[in-house]
């Protein structure tokens, strides 16, 4: 049958797209839709009271449109057409909470993420260079949902030890070259596994040497030897140095020493400043376009380099940054887009949503619309079969599940940075991230009930607080490597 | 199409290194026999640090199955250098791959290394344009173009400005194109770059030219705003040009007002500009009521507009 084969072609195309780990790394929104069951919300019946409220809300949130049609406005209109039914009604037939919004489908998402850690068919070969990422997204997502992951401890250690490179750092798979992206994912996963066996499985000495080889003469870091230099590199390096309590000094064999550099931080502050664009957001490297994921990486760096109030105000134009972040929130969607004039995408619930706790610690509270983001995540991003997605019409995956949930957490919780940096953990270099505390639930305008509330997430490391604290504490108590 | 190595005499000297997992790992992929074997041979040649023609073919094979495999790209780059393969040969091989994998990260880093070695960007602008025809906001492709501008000193290059203009002409909301325009025109000037040792007259001439450029860009942004007054890209560009030239926001007071004389305004960004003009002139009451209007017409950002009230008190 012709119709069926068309459907299959579309499915294959989607499968390719979904499985392409470049897409995962690319962190971009994608305009490709396909026919899947989520789009079949034909007969919705008469509006129920909560639905009527939602329609009023959506109409109130409608932005001012101008008339000119371009590729951008057409893509935006198509996206809106896909999303609106989910904001106004309940095409997935989820049970609703007391705000008339779909409840968090906790059990379904847990099941989806557990499957994400399991065996994959050959079609997943494009994920082969990103297996530690998949492990991280699933584990982080599970912990945000409050699911106990201790059963996975040994498997996490075994899986990641197999991809640790003898010369330091982690690769995407067995025998792959080391790279900062899998290194970042592996270290955070091992911190979540949380035991001396997990911590000791990390070869910190070779890792420190490896990280040193990434340092560049202009202050930034490459993602691999011979790889691209961008702000992810800086963030991945600082996360590793901070969580594992590694030395501030560059190792003696770091090539950047030939250019007179002595520490990991040399010229980095200045380099990060250069990544802030005329729009106010932060780009991959100086001169590129401001982008949500790179902005989170940049703010994450500054939050590791010192107290956010000091570092961010010193190296960034904060009013411009706040303005840019604010404008990324879509109306009426409520979710975030990664760049100006791009489409809303659930992963930016974290990449932009997760910037707010960092910014609020540096500037002021109550800067953003948490309930609008919560609405997007609960109403539009939850897939009826479990997992969360970019937007309606797209399939869920571990990446979007993790970052939608992390964004939901950012919306639901308050955090506080202890400016005096007191406490037992977090002395010494890169110690600032260990002076954050949960500061209770957000009690302002919201659209979630208690049972829709997810766990707190460490604003810099995006893993549970206890996991980050215990890991650092372990290595602070340890002498040498 | 399927290719195996175990029965290929050209590979008889290589003992493949199979994937050696501890127990049953997480996210275990049931690789095809073909991919598994090719990876086994790749690990083996990497272990002996072999860089040869057959390794090049092997990397091509693995890239064909999994183009997101950064290890293969990095090893291929090293092999090319060892074999002194002419950069133009590699580019010819690379072009169709780039066109069929638009979202790939690795290709662009690979291309950058090759073009850097070639020390010429001839033909690159055309190839990039071809890529952007298919995906007009592709972040990697634009970033690559920015690298090219910097590496080959194409600051204020006529072709680069014309290209940005063409892309903006096609879609005035293409923010990547606006970013490129700003980068090409204003990103390269570092303080003292032009000045030293030059005569007075020349410096004056430079200043005059700069003023003309700023004026031209202000007008350019304005005509773009007239087409799509609600698009943020041109407004942000306009604000950035003003800031670059140290001009006050009131420079565009009359222009902003064109979009504010009705309620709701035809452009929220014009209203925001109006807010800043009032703030600049210390008209606190007017600024405050403008903020209220912004919160009314842009309710999703109500917390933000409320936050900006504080800025007024301080001023």
């Amino acid at each position: 049958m012709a119709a069926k084969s068309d459907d299959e072609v579309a499915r294959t195309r989607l499968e390719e797209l979904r499985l392409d780990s470049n897409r995962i790394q690319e962190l971009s929104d994608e305009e490709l839709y396909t026919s899947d069951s989520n789009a079949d919300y034909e007969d919705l019946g008469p509006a129920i009271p909560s639905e009527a409220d939602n329609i009023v809300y959506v109409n109130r949130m409608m932005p001012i449109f101008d008339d000119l049609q371009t590729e951008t406005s057409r893509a935006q209109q198509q996206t809106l057409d896909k999303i609106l039914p989910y904001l106004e009604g309940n095409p997935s037939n989820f049970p609703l909470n007391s705000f008339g919004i779909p409840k968090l489908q906790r059990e379904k998402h847990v099941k989806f993420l557990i499957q994400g850690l399991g065996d994959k068919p050959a079609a997943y070969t494009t994920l082969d260079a990103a297996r530690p990422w998949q492990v991280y997204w699933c584990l982080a997502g599970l912990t945000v949902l409050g699911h106990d992951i201790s059963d996975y401890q040994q498997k996490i250690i075994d899986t990641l030890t197999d991809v640790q490179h003898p010369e330091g750092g982690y690769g995407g798979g067995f025998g792959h070259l080391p790279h900062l992206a899998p290194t970042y994912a592996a270290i955070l996963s091992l911190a979540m596994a949380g035991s001396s066996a997990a911590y000791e499985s990390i070869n910190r000495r070779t890792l420190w040497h490896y990280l040193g080889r990434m340092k560049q003469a202009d202050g930034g870091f490459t993602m691999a030897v011979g790889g691209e230099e961008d702000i992810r590199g800086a963030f991945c390096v600082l996360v590793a140095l901070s969580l594992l309590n590694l030395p501030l000094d560059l190792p003696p064999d770091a090539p950047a020493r030939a250019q007179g550099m002595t520490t990991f931080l040399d010229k980095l502050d200045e380099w990060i400043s250069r990544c802030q664009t005329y729009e106010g957001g932060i780009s991959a490297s100086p001169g590129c376009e401001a982008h949500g994921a790179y902005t989170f990486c940049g703010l994450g760096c500054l939050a590791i380099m010192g107290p956010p109030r000091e570092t961010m105000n010193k190296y960034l134009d904060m009013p411009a940054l706040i303005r840019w972040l604010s404008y990324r929130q879509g109306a009426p969607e409520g979710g975030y887009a990664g760049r100006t004039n791009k489409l809303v995408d659930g992963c930016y619930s974290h990449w932009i949503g997760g910037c707010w706790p960092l910014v609020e610690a540096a500037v002021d509270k109550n800067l953003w619309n948490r309930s609008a983001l919560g609405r997007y995540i609960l109403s539009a991003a939850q897939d009826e079969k479990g997992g969360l997605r970019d937007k309606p019409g797209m399939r869920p995956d571990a990446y979007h599940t993790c970052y939608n949930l992390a964004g939901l957490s950012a919306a639901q919780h308050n955090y506080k940075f202890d400016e005096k940096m007191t406490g037992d953990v977090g002395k010494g270099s890169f110690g600032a991230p260990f002076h954050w505390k949960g500061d209770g639930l957000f009690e302002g305008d919201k659209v979630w009930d208690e049972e829709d509330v997810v766990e707190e997430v460490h604003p810099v490391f995006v893993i549970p607080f206890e996991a980050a604290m215990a890991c650092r504490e372990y290595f602070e108590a340890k002498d040498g490597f | 199409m399927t290719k195996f190595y175990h029965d290929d005499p050209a590979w008889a000297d290589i003992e493949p290194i199979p994937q050696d997992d501890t127990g049953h790992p997480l996210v275990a992929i049931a690789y095809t026999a073909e991919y598994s074997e090719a990876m086994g041979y790749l690990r083996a040649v990497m272990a002996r640090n072999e860089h040869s023609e057959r390794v090049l073919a092997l990397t091509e094979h693995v890239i064909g199955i999994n183009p997101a495999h950064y290890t293969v790209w990095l090893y291929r780059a090293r092999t090319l250098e060892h074999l002194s393969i002419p950069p133009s040969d590699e580019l010819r091989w690379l072009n169709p791959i780039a066109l069929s994998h638009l979202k790939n990260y690795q290709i662009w880093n690979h291309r950058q290394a090759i073009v850097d070695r070639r020390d010429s960007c001839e033909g690159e602008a055309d190839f990039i344009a071809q890529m952007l025809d298919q995906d007009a906001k592709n972040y990697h492709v634009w970033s690559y173009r920015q690298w090219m501008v910097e590496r080959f000193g194409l600051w204020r290059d006529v072709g680069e400005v014309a290209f940005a203009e063409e892309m903006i002409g096609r879609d005035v909301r293409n923010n990547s194109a606006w970013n490129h325009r700003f980068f090409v025109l204003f990103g390269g000037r570092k303080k003292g770059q032009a000045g030293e040792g030059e005569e007075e007259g020349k410096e004056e001439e430079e200043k005059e030219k700069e003023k003309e450029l700023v004026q031209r860009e202000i007008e350019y942004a304005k005509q773009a705003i007239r087409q799509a007054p609600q698009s943020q890209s041109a407004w942000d560009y306009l604000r950035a040009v003003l800031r670059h030239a140290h001009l006050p926001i009131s420079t565009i007071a009359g222009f902003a007002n064109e979009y504010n004389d009705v309620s709701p305004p035809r452009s929220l960004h014009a209203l925001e500009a109006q807010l800043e003009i009032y703030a600049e002139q210390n008209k606190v009451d007017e600024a405050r009521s403008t903020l209220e209007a912004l919160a009314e017409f842009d309710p999703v950002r109500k917390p933000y507009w409320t936050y900006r009230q504080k800025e007024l008190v301080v001023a």
Side-chain angles (χ1 to χ4, degrees), chain B residues 1-5 8 10-11 34-35 37-39 41-42 45 50-66 72-73 75-80 83 85 90 93 97 110:
Chain B
M1 287 301 258
T2 313
K3 159 88 188 146
F4 286 99
Y5 297 87
D8 184 342
W11 288 88
E34 183 189 11
Y35 179 75
E37 194 191 90
M39 278 305 296
Y41 279 81
L42 182 75
V45 293
E50 176 180 326
H51 296 286
S52 60
E53 287 288 346
R54 69 176 181 183
V55 166
L56 222 48
L58 174 61
T59 59
E60 177 172 354
H61 182 201
V62 178
I63 286 168
I65 303 174
N66 181 11
V72 193
W73 285 102
Y75 200 70
R76 182 179 176 89
R78 287 180 209 172
T79 305
L80 291 170
L83 296 177
I85 303 283
E90 182 67 359
W93 173 82
I97 299 181
H110 190 71

Side-chain angles (χ1 to χ4, degrees), chain A residues 26 30 66 70 72 117 119-120 128 131 155 162 172 177 289 294 323 326-327 329 339 341 364, chain B residues 22 24 27-28 30-31 35 43 70 103 105 137 139-140 171 173 175-176 230 233 272 301 310:
Chain A
E26 143 80 4
E30 192 43 61
D66 47 34
T70 64
T72 297
L117 289 168
D119 291 353
K120 301 283 163 252
D128 192 35
R131 282 177 54 233
K155 280 217 186 259
D162 285 344
L177 292 171
E289 187 184 0
Y294 299 116
R323 177 178 178 274
S326 299
Y327 271 118
Q329 193 158 22
R339 297 184 253 162
N341 278 334
D364 206 344
Chain B
T22 308
H24 192 109
V27 198
Y31 308 111
Y35 179 75
R43 280 187 281 263
Y70 66 83
K103 297 290 183 191
Y105 241 85
K137 300 177 182 178
Y139 198 85
H140 305 309
D171 182 352
R173 300 182 178 92
N175 196 62
S176 305
Q230 252 299 85
S233 297
E272 189 190 9
R301 267 166 284 283
K310 296 184 185 170

Side-chain angles (χ1 to χ4, degrees), chain A residues 17 20-23 25-30 57 60-73 116-129 131 134-135 139 152 155-156 158-159 162 170-179 182 224-230 232 274 277-279 282-291 294 317 319-320 322-324 326-331 334 339-342 363-369 372, chain B residues 17-32 35 39 43 46 65-72 74-75 78 101 103-106 109 112-113 133-140 142-144 146-147 150 170-180 182-183 190 224-225 227-241 243 264-269 272 276 294 296-308 310-311:
Chain A
L17 192 80
D20 183 351
S21 57
N22 283 302
R23 191 188 129 59
Q25 289 184 22
E26 143 80 4
L27 317 167
S28 85
D29 29 17
E30 192 43 61
Y57 168 84
R60 196 161 57 80
M61 286 289 147
M62 276 295 172
I64 299 161
F65 289 104
D66 47 34
D67 300 329
L68 182 76
Q69 296 276 314
T70 64
E71 200 180 322
T72 297
S73 62
L117 289 168
D119 291 353
K120 301 283 163 252
Y124 276 74
T125 297
T126 49
L127 196 71
D128 192 35
R131 282 177 54 233
Q134 178 79 7
V135 170
L139 293 175
Y152 287 102
K155 280 217 186 259
I156 297 167
D158 289 345
T159 302
D162 285 344
Y170 291 79
F174 173 75
H176 296 197
L177 292 171
H179 190 283
V225 175
E228 62 276 17
E229 179 183 1
D230 64 44
R232 290 174 309 151
R274 288 172 56 217
T277 83
Y278 69 88
E279 292 190 81
I282 296 174
S283 62
S285 59
C288 298
E289 187 184 0
H291 184 293
Y294 299 116
D317 175 347
I322 292 168
R323 177 178 178 274
W324 183 85
S326 299
Y327 271 118
R328 299 290 67 75
Q329 193 158 22
R339 297 184 253 162
T340 303
N341 278 334
K342 290 275 282 175
V363 178
D364 206 344
K365 295 277 178 201
N366 301 321
L367 299 174
W368 60 301
N369 192 331
Chain B
I17 303 175
Q19 179 151 335
D20 184 15
D21 291 325
T22 308
H24 192 109
L26 298 170
V27 198
I29 300 170
Y31 308 111
T32 60
Y35 179 75
M39 278 305 296
R43 280 187 281 263
M46 282 170 63
I65 303 174
N66 181 11
H69 206 318
Y70 66 83
T71 296
V72 193
L74 293 172
Y75 200 70
R78 287 180 209 172
H101 298 283
K103 297 290 183 191
N104 185 290
Y105 241 85
Q106 284 75 27
N109 178 57
Q112 194 170 307
D133 270 345
Q134 298 189 43
D135 188 6
K137 300 177 182 178
N138 187 306
Y139 198 85
H140 305 309
W142 282 107
S143 300
Y144 175 72
Q146 277 125 28
W147 170 80
E150 182 137 36
R170 275 190 227 170
D171 182 352
V172 73
R173 300 182 178 92
N174 186 340
N175 196 62
S176 305
W178 284 98
N179 182 73
H180 192 67
F182 191 83
F183 179 66
K190 291 184 185 91
I225 290 168
Q227 295 174 49
Q230 252 299 85
S231 166
Q232 196 181 359
S233 297
W235 280 103
D236 276 8
Y237 184 84
L238 177 58
R239 295 163 63 104
V241 172
R243 190 141 77 137
R266 288 198 293 141
S267 169
L268 208 69
H269 307 295
E272 189 190 9
E276 284 162 17
L294 281 162
E296 184 192 341
F297 298 124
D298 188 26
V300 79
R301 267 166 284 283
K302 197 170 178 215
Y304 174 65
W305 299 121
T306 307
Y307 155 74
R308 286 194 65 175
K310 296 184 185 170
E311 172 187 329

